[in-house]
């Protein structure tokens, strides 16, 4: 396993700072136990009188479902640890747990569903819209591209291979449209959009601003539909998140250009603007830029952080569905922050150099990581080969800066 060898490499064992109580997203009461009603109902009970050690010898933490352990583990420095024993279980839960509720997620331009499990865990479901071998047409604007379910899956694994760990876990899943969406939804607007196609397949289209119409309906075979299941972050009422507009946001206009596209010295003014004028925020944004260039994702208009940690924390790399749309061409403008600022974290640069060597080739590592997903093969081979080519271009941009 090349992945196992990668995660043993010294560059993947650089310790994070010590995590103190104030660095944790949640402070957990060790006496607080969670258990399902023995009556067989699906309701969680919180028992504050529970002993720290339960009769089985387990601690209260052991009674938490995996999704809750994931939430409790989030800290200032990472969404999940490098050697996270929960990860395989969490990914398996996303792919296999019984779905008890499916409703449409409000906001956003394309159809997404929030699915709930019996243990109150929730996932964001993005349905399949394109086959693996389809490329985004060359005349499409980035803001009207489809969101791809396989891009969400691949982005999670790529982010982990780059050692960012800033994307919540995502698994592929084959969903039964009839039993796991139509028959259990309480969403009246969604329920109205189901129909049977001329081919006898179950279809639906939901309500949204892009591609929610009979012509763009999502159809099963006859009722099986692929999708990505992303673990939801803690509810914003429990853990507030702040949304930041990216300084290198595109114009989202057919002909206008953004300021950074016209001003080669744009980075100088970004460096003087909070929160980029101190700490590692600008370097974190350049990390995100590199992830986006490798995936070909032009749609990074905002990013989020956990409010509790102020400016001294990582950026959440959410919403990656517009990555992996093209493999035959690269989009150099995505790398503008790296090229204009000529800054990169030393650890990131060293890892990128490592991923360009034969024993740790990036395409081989991602292929291995994706092979375990229920929807494998997640990416067509040309997309994996494009990663190695793009990595070469990132390193060339870094080398050009070093030469200057």
């Amino acid at each position: 396993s090349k992945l196992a060898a990668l995660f043993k490499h010294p560059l993947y064992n650089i310790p994070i700072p010590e995590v103190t109580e104030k660095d944790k997203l949640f402070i957990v009461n060790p006496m607080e136990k969670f258990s399902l009603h023995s009556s067989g109902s699906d309701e969680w009970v919180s028992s504050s009188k529970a002993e720290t050690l339960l009769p089985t010898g387990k601690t209260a933490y052991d009674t938490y479902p995996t999704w809750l352990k994931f939430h409790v583990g989030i800290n200032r420095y990472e969404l999940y640890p490098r050697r996270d024993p929960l990860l395989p279980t969490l990914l398996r839960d996303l792919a296999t747990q019984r779905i008890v509720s499916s409703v449409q997620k409000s906001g956003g331009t394309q159809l997404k569903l929030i699915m709930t499990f019996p243990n109150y865990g929730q996932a964001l479901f993005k349905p399949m819209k394109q086959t693996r071998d389809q490329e985004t047409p060359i005349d499409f604007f980035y803001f009207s591209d489809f969101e791809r379910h396989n891009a969400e899956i691949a982005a999670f694994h790529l982010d982990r291979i780059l050692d960012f760990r800033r994307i919540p876990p995502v698994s592929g899943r084959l969903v039964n449209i009839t039993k796991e969406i139509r028959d259990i939804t309480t969403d009246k607007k969604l329920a109205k959009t189901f129909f049977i196609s001329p081919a006898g397949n179950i279809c639906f289209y939901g309500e949204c601003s892009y591609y929610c119409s009979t012509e763009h309906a999502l159809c099963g075979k006859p009722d099986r539909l692929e999708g990505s299941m992303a673990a939801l972050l803690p509810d914003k009422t429990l853990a507030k998140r702040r949304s930041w507009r990216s300084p290198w946001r595109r114009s989202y206009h057919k002909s206008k250009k953004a300021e950074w596209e016209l001003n080669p010295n744009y980075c100088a003014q970004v460096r003087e603007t909070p929160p980029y004028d101190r700490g590692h925020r600008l370097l974190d944004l350049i990390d995100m830029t590199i992830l986006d260039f490798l995936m070909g994702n032009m749609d990074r208009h905002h990013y989020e952080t956990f409010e509790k940690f102020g400016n001294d924390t990582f950026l959440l790399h959410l919403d990656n569905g517009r990555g992996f749309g093209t493999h035959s061409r690269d989009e150099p403008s995505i790398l503008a922050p790296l090229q204009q600022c000529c800054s990169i974290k030393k650890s990131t640069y060293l890892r990128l150099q490592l991923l360009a060597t034969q024993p740790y080739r990036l395409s081989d590592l991602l292929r291995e990581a994706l092979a375990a997903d229920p929807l494998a093969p997640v990416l067509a081979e040309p997309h994996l080969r494009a990663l190695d080519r793009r990595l070469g271009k990132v390193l060339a941009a870094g080398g050009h800066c070093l030469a200057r």
Side-chain angles (χ1 to χ4, degrees):
S1 165
K2 287 192 174 185
L3 265 181
L6 180 79
F7 293 139
K8 283 178 186 160
H9 192 280
L11 285 171
Y12 286 76
N13 287 278
I14 299 166
I16 66 163
E18 186 188 352
V19 178
T20 63
E21 289 291 279
K22 71 178 193 312
D23 297 322
K24 294 176 181 175
L25 189 61
F26 295 117
I27 307 299
V28 179
N29 176 359
M31 307 296 278
E32 197 82 15
K33 170 194 158 199
F34 283 84
S35 63
L36 286 163
H37 264 318
S38 54
S39 64
S41 95
D42 287 334
E43 190 181 341
W44 278 100
V45 190
S46 162
S47 163
S48 50
K49 297 186 184 73
E51 297 294 324
T52 309
L53 278 174
L54 303 174
T56 53
K58 291 182 175 179
T59 61
Y61 175 84
D62 294 316
T63 68
Y64 297 179
T66 314
W67 65 266
L68 187 56
K69 289 179 180 174
F70 162 55
H71 288 178
V72 166
I74 298 170
N75 64 55
R76 179 185 297 278
Y77 308 108
E78 58 191 7
L79 209 45
Y80 57 90
R82 285 193 183 104
R83 278 174 191 70
D84 189 358
L86 300 173
L87 205 53
T89 315
L90 187 53
L91 292 173
R92 189 169 63 246
D93 284 355
L94 290 167
T96 60
Q97 279 229 326
R98 186 165 62 89
I99 297 165
V100 296
S101 162
S102 294
V103 295
Q104 197 167 322
K105 183 182 188 294
S106 57
T109 55
Q110 300 186 31
L111 179 77
K112 301 183 257 305
L113 303 178
I114 302 274
M115 294 185 162
T116 307
F117 305 127
N119 65 6
Y120 279 77
Q122 290 189 313
L124 181 67
F125 176 78
K126 285 194 180 181
M128 175 174 174
K129 293 202 175 84
Q130 279 184 321
T131 60
R132 306 285 193 277
D133 53 359
Q134 279 179 298
E135 276 201 278
T136 302
I138 201 158
D139 292 319
F140 262 44
F141 283 98
Y142 53 90
F143 48 79
S144 52
D145 192 8
F146 287 115
E147 288 184 11
R148 285 164 285 278
H149 73 304
N150 58 325
E152 293 286 357
I153 302 164
F156 161 67
H157 290 281
L158 177 60
D159 180 82
R160 185 170 172 239
I161 288 166
L162 294 170
D163 198 44
F164 295 155
R165 289 168 288 120
R166 300 166 198 166
I167 296 179
V170 184
S171 172
R173 180 164 178 157
L174 205 53
V175 166
N176 183 313
I177 298 177
T178 309
K179 292 177 181 167
E180 295 180 313
I181 305 176
R182 190 191 70 182
D183 292 355
I184 60 170
T185 191
T186 52
D187 187 328
K188 291 190 175 73
K189 287 180 178 176
L190 177 64
K192 282 180 189 167
T193 69
F194 285 86
F195 63 93
I196 295 170
S197 76
N201 295 322
I202 304 273
C203 305
F204 68 104
Y205 52 86
E207 260 196 9
C208 63
S209 51
Y210 276 66
Y211 307 124
C212 280
S213 63
T214 316
E215 297 76 33
H216 295 105
L218 304 157
C219 297
K221 292 180 179 178
D223 56 5
R224 310 285 266 183
L225 177 68
E226 278 190 21
S228 61
M229 299 282 277
L232 284 194
L233 290 171
D235 192 279
K236 287 181 180 175
T237 55
L238 300 173
K240 282 185 186 169
R241 302 200 300 271
R242 179 161 178 191
S243 180
W244 304 80
R245 183 187 167 110
S246 168
W248 280 272
R249 181 187 190 272
R250 293 176 188 275
S251 65
Y252 288 80
H253 189 277
K254 291 187 180 77
S255 54
K256 277 184 190 161
K257 284 198 180 314
E259 190 185 346
W260 59 267
E261 294 176 278
L262 305 168
N263 176 8
N265 298 316
Y266 180 73
C267 185
Q269 67 191 61
V270 175
R271 285 185 190 276
E272 290 172 10
T273 310
Y276 306 100
D277 57 342
R278 53 168 287 276
H280 49 82
R281 176 63 67 92
L282 182 60
L283 292 172
D284 286 339
L285 188 122
I286 288 167
D287 279 352
M288 184 167 65
T289 291
I290 291 164
L291 173 75
D292 284 334
F293 177 72
L294 292 172
M295 298 192 291
N297 175 28
M298 298 170 72
D299 187 37
R300 186 72 68 187
H301 44 86
H302 286 77
Y303 62 85
E304 292 184 24
T305 57
F306 287 111
E307 205 167 88
K308 178 179 179 178
F309 303 134
N311 292 340
D312 187 21
T313 187
F314 62 89
L315 318 185
L316 289 158
H317 301 164
L318 305 176
D319 213 357
N320 303 289
R322 284 186 168 147
F324 297 104
T326 57
H327 50 72
S328 55
R329 55 192 187 273
D330 304 334
E331 183 48 62
S333 66
I334 300 172
L335 276 184
L338 172 64
Q339 292 162 331
Q340 292 178 356
C341 300
C342 263
S343 293
I344 187 170
K345 283 183 191 172
K346 185 178 179 182
S347 57
T348 298
Y349 194 59
L350 292 173
R351 282 188 201 106
L352 293 174
Q353 287 180 315
L354 181 71
L355 295 170
T357 64
Q358 181 63 36
Y360 303 102
R361 185 188 284 150
L362 182 55
S363 58
D364 292 343
L365 291 161
L366 189 58
R367 185 185 296 106
E368 183 186 329
L370 295 176
D373 190 85
L375 300 183
V378 172
L379 290 178
E381 274 299 312
H383 281 292
L384 292 164
R385 289 197 295 274
L387 279 173
D388 296 326
R389 179 182 74 233
R390 290 170 185 165
L391 176 57
K393 292 184 178 182
V394 176
L395 290 170
H400 182 67
C401 285
L402 287 170
R404 276 170 58 190

